[in-house]
């Protein structure tokens, strides 16, 4: 994994993967629109009394939107590669599997979560979120989505061969997303109430480091088990 | 059996268990350098499964495969599935680039890639997205990989199905050239070679080998 040439090849692949994202931009843009709409539908369901939303309500609505849009974008990560026989080639690749999984996770995060970070300030404004909360919200979403992306990609790998995996993916992943959501929201609540946020923020960072370190390795093993025995 | 050529791959007593019974049972063969094995058999007789196992994509349920690879072999073998692996949204040239990186860990210059594509007379299609190509052209894109960097053992699954007569001939000529360089082939196909090959070996799968109880 640490041979330099592998990183070079992975970088080239990364470039080609980004090209794929650009070619299939419509798929990803729909994901961003979905996020906008999910959050606005919460606002609309308040019947125009958005001003009465508390700050806690507003951040939780945004977080739910983030989780849902990440969840719905996951099927795009490995499915077409599996269908078109590219995933098979991962196994016979000289590039380490974990590096390839890391690459996929990174591309997924860039294509799904990064744009959300630009949409959040706009939505926060619409939901009447106090301005001082915005940096903290963006920080938790940045860290949180990286955890969600990594866990989510592992989940998709597990069920990539199954038909109608969409619902199953939700059932599988939503419970796994709870810790991240809890830590992020408790950090934000701490911020709103003026308490210290060090505790939950630290745990969020621990979770983040843990997933970033282990998800590529875990993903590589899942791939081996799932494909070799298929 | 006298083996005059160095052995590339030795398959011992292979068994593949699928759907409650043995698809392939006690399959043994030795692939030597310069040999061309033709796998024939009815649909569902296990040609693809066998190739996948030899290609290292699946584990056999019984028996083993021993490769005699040299240090310089990178990659040692290349398995080409049917339908060919592809990334639909990427252009032809990016597809080849992507798969060359992924499968061989190698990078090729644009000139090399164009030259390889020119073999199939597909040079002007280089920047077309692959989903716009026909089945046969997609097959050619996959076969271009073999032109770039030739591994010693080619495992090809129905490579000629979608190809037209001219390209079929070109494909078999390519295989012959590969043999001349000491390469080996194992091809699952329903169509016999149109070009005369060296060292042809036939292997028919799906001949009922008594009734083997499904004991794993």
């Amino acid at each position: 994994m640490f041979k330099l040439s592998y990183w070079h090849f992975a970088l080239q692949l990364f470039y080609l993967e980004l090209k794929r994202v650009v070619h299939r931009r419509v798929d990803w843009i729909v994901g961003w629109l979905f996020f906008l709409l999910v959050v606005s539908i919460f606002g609309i369901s308040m019947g125009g009394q958005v001003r009465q939303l508390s700050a806690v309500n507003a951040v939780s609505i945004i977080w739910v939107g983030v989780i849902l849009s990440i969840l719905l974008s996951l099927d795009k990560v490995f499915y077409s590669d599996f269908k078109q026989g590219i995933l098979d080639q991962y196994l016979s690749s000289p590039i380490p599997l974990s590096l390839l999984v890391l690459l996929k996770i990174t591309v997924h995060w860039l294509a799904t979560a990064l744009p959300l970070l630009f949409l959040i300030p706009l939505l926060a404004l619409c939901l009447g979120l106090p301005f001082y909360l915005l940096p903290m919200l963006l920080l938790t979403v940045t860290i949180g989505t990286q955890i969600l992306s990594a866990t989510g990609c592992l989940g998709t790998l597990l069920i990539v061969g199954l038909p109608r995996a969409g619902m199953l993916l939700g059932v599988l992943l939503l419970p796994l997303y709870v810790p991240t959501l809890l830590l992020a929201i408790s950090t934000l609540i701490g911020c709103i109430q003026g308490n210290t946020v060090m505790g939950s923020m630290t745990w969020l960072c621990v979770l983040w480091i843990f997933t970033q370190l282990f998800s590529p390795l875990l993903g590589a093993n899942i791939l081996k088990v799932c494909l070799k025995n298929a | 059996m006298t083996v005059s050529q160095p052995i590339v791959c030795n398959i011992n007593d292979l068994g593949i268990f699928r759907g409650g019974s043995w698809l392939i049972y006690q399959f043994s063969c030795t692939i030597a350098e310069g040999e061309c094995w033709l796998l024939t058999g009815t649909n569902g007789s296990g040609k693809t499964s066998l190739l996948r196992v030899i290609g290292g994509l699946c584990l056999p349920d019984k028996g083993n495969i021993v490769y005699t690879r040299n240090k310089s072999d990178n990659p040692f073998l290349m398995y080409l599935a049917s339908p060919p692996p592809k990334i639909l949204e990427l252009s032809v040239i990016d597809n080849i680039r992507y798969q060359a990186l992924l499968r061989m860990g190698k990078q090729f210059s644009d000139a090399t890639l164009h030259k390889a594509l020119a073999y199939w007379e597909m040079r002007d299609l280089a920047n077309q997205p692959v989903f716009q190509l026909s089945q046969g052209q997609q097959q050619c894109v996959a076969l271009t990989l073999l032109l770039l960097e030739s591994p010693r053992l080619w495992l090809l699954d129905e490579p000629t199905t979608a190809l037209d007569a001219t390209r079929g001939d070109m494909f078999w000529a390519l295989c012959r050239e590969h043999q001349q360089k000491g390469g080996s082939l194992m091809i699952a196909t329903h169509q016999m070679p149109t070009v005369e090959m060296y060292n042809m070996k036939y292997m028919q799968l799906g001949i009922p080998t008594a009734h083997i109880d499904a004991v794993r």
Side-chain angles (χ1 to χ4, degrees), chain B residues 29-45:
Chain B
C29 87
T30 305
I31 306 174
E33 246 173 47
E35 279 182 350
C36 173
W37 283 83
L38 277 195
L39 278 177
T40 53
T42 50
N43 297 132
S45 58

Side-chain angles (χ1 to χ4, degrees), chain A residues 66-82:
Chain A
V66 167
I67 284 189
L68 288 180
S69 54
I70 293 253
L71 193 66
L72 286 177
S73 66
L74 280 169
D75 57 341
K76 290 194 279 288
V77 187
F78 288 109
Y79 185 70
S80 79
D81 277 0
F82 172 75

